[in-house]
Amino acid sequence: MTSIWRLLQLMRPVLGWMLLGGALSFITLIANVVLMATSGWFIASMAIAGIHGVTLNYFTPAAIIRLSAILRTTGRYAERLVSHSATLRILSQLRVWFYERIEPLAPAGLEGFRSGDLLSRIRADIDTLDQFYLRLLLPFIVALMASLTFVLFLIWIDPMLALIEFALLLTAGVILPIVSNRTCSNSSRQINEINTALRAHLINDLQGMGELLIDAADKPHAQRIDQLSQELVTHQKRISHINGLTQGGVGLSANLAMWLILITTIPMVQQAELPPAQLVMLILFTLASFEAVAPLPFAMQSLGELLTATKRIFSLVDRLPTITEPVNPIAISTTTDQELTLFNVSYRYTQQKPAGVQDISLQLTPGKRIALVGPSGCGKSTLVQLLLKFRAPDKGEVSLGGIPYDQLNGDSIRQQIAVAFQQTHLFNSTIRDNLLLANPNADQAMLESVCRTAVIHDFILAQPAGYDTLVGELGIRISSGQARRLAVARALLKGAPLLILDEPTESLDALTEQQLVQNILQECQNQAILWITHRLTGLESMDEILVMHDGQIVERGKPEQLAMTNSLYAKMQAQQILLGEEG
């Protein structure tokens, strides 16, 4: 119930729409019951009046019937319009709220989640919550208000009739939904979990389809998806069978109430305690009144799935971010040159693991070019996350412009730094749209300039659609080298004073690699550059080289100094030259 209460609190901005939808639903239901009951009374009264040859005022009941029909039709349309609008507003509100809560967690706080799982939570789990208002909250509130109205009306006629109506409405609207929930709760939860697993498997398998086909590992993955699909169908069939039984139970309760009220009212008519026409009115009134509780068993069936989705969402947003932003951050000056400094910085992921980086010190000033080299897993990517304030160091200090990071807002820091990450992410859109993410105000000339620097302009022009060429999901329509160069161009387009390039020449041929390095160093002379790589091509133009190993800087110096000594850098350089000659 705590999750439900929190969900209600999140829906407060849409409360007006929710109340309006409830009022329209209640009016529509009452209009339908009044239409049925009045029509029965009117037809019976006209027949009795005809038999006895007496006159009857048919204007008033005819007007009530017409008004009820109009209210039912227009009310149903308006109720659908308002309630679905409220639902869409709720979903929009929840998605924005969810993203605002998980955005500070990225990337460190989300490392244990697969991309498919995160997508499932932000899309499918939140979509599941549309059932809360439309299929759960709204039907129960309307059923409660309408049932109370019906029982009070029957008390006015005869308490016994009200007791019969109350008992069977209670059976159809409370007992059957509880039974439905108890029998379907496990299947509902399983459906949510299986759907989540299916989405995660499908997304991950589609993203890695090339590797799966190369390794002939696609069949086991396909079999796993088939197995999950069969389990999903099994649980869906179970819920469908129970839904049929509960709906039959509602119909049985309605007919039982009708027969009991008929049996009770016949003696009342015979004893002249009740006008004969009201007998027909009460029968149709009773049947129509069960429309109020008919949706409740189905609503309770989805409660388990709803609660599971709610718990999954709250379990993620309740995670504490790894970075605590200052309450009153210091503003970063954009008019002065920014100096990025690390002093004796260390970071350890867990106490059981070795330090990701240890005692790292470096200084990046405008125009300075530092190369950070080392094998995979030496701590280069960890260092990038520390520089972007995605993680906070366990020891030491990172500062920008002389201001420690713990006094600066993370977003303001990242505005001063442009990064081309090792893992390139391209959206399923055009080349132009992917570039403009870095600078939405960039014109065509700026796009072409950075793409020339990144040695990708000629390739783009060779495409039929040029800069409007679609790159596909995760850039599947272009090669990894082309994707890497687009990432470099996007970082250049941002125009930030600090530029970090993480493995920018990966997957490039030697000629393109040499041209890319030369272009960047020539065009970005006023920017501070941190060049992270395990390839040593073009590093002779760097101001300083830092060699990392096991999270530590084991060597540092100018390229010519390191190359002339018996250093690890010189050995790496010799090894790459040897491999290049052998290739």
Side-chain angles (χ1 to χ4, degrees):
M1 295 306 295
T2 303
S3 298
I4 296 297
W5 176 248
R6 291 182 65 182
L7 196 56
L8 284 170
Q9 293 295 107
L10 292 172
M11 295 180 179
R12 289 181 63 183
V14 197
L15 181 61
W17 286 89
M18 294 168 63
L19 292 176
L20 180 58
L24 289 170
S25 182
F26 177 74
I27 291 170
T28 302
L29 178 61
I30 295 297
N32 183 60
V33 175
V34 170
L35 175 63
M36 294 290 291
T38 306
S39 298
W41 177 88
F42 185 51
I43 293 172
S45 296
M46 291 292 291
I48 293 171
I51 292 173
H52 292 87
V54 297
T55 59
L56 177 69
N57 175 18
Y58 62 85
F59 292 104
T60 300
I64 293 174
I65 290 172
R66 289 181 180 179
L67 177 62
S68 298
I70 292 171
L71 284 176
R72 184 180 69 169
T73 304
T74 57
R76 183 67 68 192
Y77 175 78
E79 182 268 327
R80 289 288 187 268
L81 187 65
V82 171
S83 62
H84 283 77
S85 178
T87 299
L88 293 175
R89 290 169 185 268
I90 289 170
L91 293 178
S92 175
Q93 179 86 11
L94 288 174
R95 282 202 175 92
V96 172
W97 166 83
F98 182 74
Y99 180 80
E100 288 176 345
R101 293 305 183 281
I102 67 170
E103 192 268 342
L105 299 176
L110 302 178
E111 284 183 335
F113 299 91
R114 293 185 296 178
S115 58
D117 186 22
L118 289 173
L119 177 63
S120 180
R121 293 183 194 234
I122 199 170
R123 192 192 68 81
D125 284 348
I126 289 183
D127 280 350
T128 301
L129 300 187
D130 70 355
Q131 300 178 20
F132 178 67
Y133 170 68
L134 200 59
R135 297 185 182 179
L136 194 67
L137 186 63
L138 181 62
F140 269 101
I141 291 177
V142 173
L144 179 62
M145 295 172 57
S147 297
L148 182 61
T149 303
F150 300 151
V151 171
L152 290 175
F153 172 72
L154 289 177
I155 287 177
W156 176 66
I157 296 177
D158 185 85
M160 180 56 68
L161 301 181
L163 182 61
I164 294 171
E165 176 84 352
F166 174 76
L168 288 165
L169 280 175
L170 185 68
T171 301
V174 177
I175 296 176
L176 283 177
I178 290 176
V179 172
S180 176
N181 174 253
R182 294 282 179 85
T183 53
C184 291
S185 59
N186 181 62
S187 292
S188 295
R189 286 193 297 269
Q190 290 295 324
I191 285 175
N192 183 280
E193 293 173 2
I194 292 172
N195 276 326
T196 299
L198 266 175
R199 294 186 192 96
H201 278 288
L202 284 170
I203 291 171
N204 293 331
D205 289 354
L206 288 174
Q207 290 177 348
M209 183 58 70
E211 290 81 356
L212 291 176
L213 292 175
I214 290 174
D215 295 337
D218 54 311
K219 290 185 178 179
H221 286 258
Q223 291 172 356
R224 175 57 178 163
I225 291 174
D226 288 341
Q227 180 185 352
L228 290 172
S229 299
Q230 291 299 322
E231 293 176 5
L232 180 64
V233 170
T234 300
H235 289 293
Q236 288 175 335
K237 284 182 177 180
R238 174 177 171 78
I239 288 181
S240 296
H241 291 158
I242 295 173
N243 182 50
L245 292 174
T246 53
Q247 289 301 313
V250 173
L252 178 62
S253 299
N255 283 275
L256 185 58
M258 179 197 71
W259 281 104
L260 289 175
I261 286 180
L262 177 63
I263 293 170
T264 304
T265 52
I266 287 176
M268 297 171 63
V269 172
Q270 291 174 341
Q271 297 171 12
E273 296 176 2
L274 191 72
Q278 288 193 13
L279 176 63
V280 180
M281 181 269 289
L282 289 171
I283 292 174
L284 293 179
F285 170 86
T286 303
L287 285 175
S289 66
F290 277 79
E291 180 186 343
V293 297
L296 301 189
F298 178 73
M300 289 297 288
Q301 287 177 7
S302 59
L303 181 61
E305 184 178 359
L306 173 70
L307 290 175
T308 302
T310 305
K311 290 176 182 177
R312 279 169 47 81
I313 289 172
F314 286 134
S315 67
L316 183 56
V317 302
D318 288 342
R319 296 170 68 93
L320 295 177
T322 57
I323 295 294
T324 302
E325 297 289 3
V327 178
N328 298 308
I330 298 176
I332 298 176
S333 174
T334 57
T335 58
T336 58
D337 292 335
Q338 302 299 332
E339 180 179 272
L340 182 61
T341 304
L342 287 86
F343 180 72
N344 290 341
V345 169
S346 297
Y347 179 82
R348 186 185 300 271
Y349 286 92
T350 64
Q351 293 299 323
Q352 293 74 28
K353 293 183 178 180
V357 294
Q358 186 172 353
D359 296 328
I360 300 294
S361 295
L362 65 86
Q363 191 175 48
L364 267 175
T365 56
K368 187 173 183 179
R369 306 163 180 182
I370 296 179
L372 188 64
V373 302
S376 299
C378 70
K380 301 190 299 291
S381 298
T382 303
L383 186 60
V384 172
Q385 294 191 21
L386 290 168
L387 292 174
L388 294 173
K389 204 184 177 181
F390 286 151
R391 300 180 188 274
D394 301 326
K395 188 177 69 172
E397 183 181 83
V398 187
S399 63
L400 181 62
I403 306 172
Y405 265 26
D406 57 9
Q407 299 180 32
L408 297 173
N409 182 274
D411 288 338
S412 63
I413 291 173
R414 290 184 281 274
Q415 288 175 2
Q416 305 299 312
I417 304 175
V419 185
F421 288 100
Q422 183 177 3
Q423 299 296 328
T424 304
H425 185 90
L426 296 176
F427 290 90
N428 188 12
S429 187
T430 64
I431 291 175
R432 183 189 308 277
D433 289 340
N434 275 280
L435 291 172
L436 290 176
L437 288 172
N439 184 359
N441 298 320
D443 56 22
Q444 182 64 27
M446 295 172 66
L447 296 181
E448 293 181 4
S449 176
V450 296
C451 287
R452 286 192 179 95
T453 302
V455 200
I456 192 68
H457 177 67
D458 291 342
F459 163 77
I460 296 174
L461 291 186
Q463 307 306 305
Y467 279 81
D468 294 316
T469 300
L470 293 171
V471 300
E473 184 71 27
L474 299 178
I476 195 172
R477 295 185 178 180
I478 59 179
S479 70
S480 58
Q482 290 157 355
R484 185 64 54 89
R485 281 176 283 164
L486 282 178
V488 171
R490 185 163 58 189
L492 296 174
L493 187 64
K494 185 175 181 178
L498 303 170
L499 179 62
I500 299 176
L501 302 175
D502 191 357
E503 301 288 358
T505 60
E506 186 74 19
S507 305
L508 302 185
D509 60 82
L511 183 60
T512 304
E513 178 181 13
Q514 184 178 8
Q515 185 64 49
L516 177 65
V517 174
Q518 180 181 342
N519 288 355
I520 292 176
L521 296 180
Q522 180 178 348
E523 296 294 331
C524 304
Q525 295 183 15
N526 296 323
Q527 291 175 277
I529 300 177
L530 180 61
W531 191 288
I532 302 174
T533 183
H534 68 278
R535 297 161 67 95
L536 308 184
T537 303
L539 300 189
E540 61 275 2
S541 300
M542 295 293 168
D543 297 318
E544 185 180 18
I545 292 180
L546 309 180
V547 182
M548 286 192 70
H549 186 72
D550 291 338
Q552 299 181 21
I553 296 178
V554 294
E555 294 176 355
R556 64 192 314 159
K558 293 186 176 297
E560 60 273 14
Q561 294 174 341
L562 294 178
M564 294 299 292
T565 62
N566 187 26
S567 63
L568 177 60
Y569 176 80
K571 294 177 181 178
M572 293 171 59
Q573 194 175 48
Q575 184 179 20
Q576 289 194 13
I577 292 174
L578 179 62
L579 291 174
E581 292 176 352
E582 291 178 352

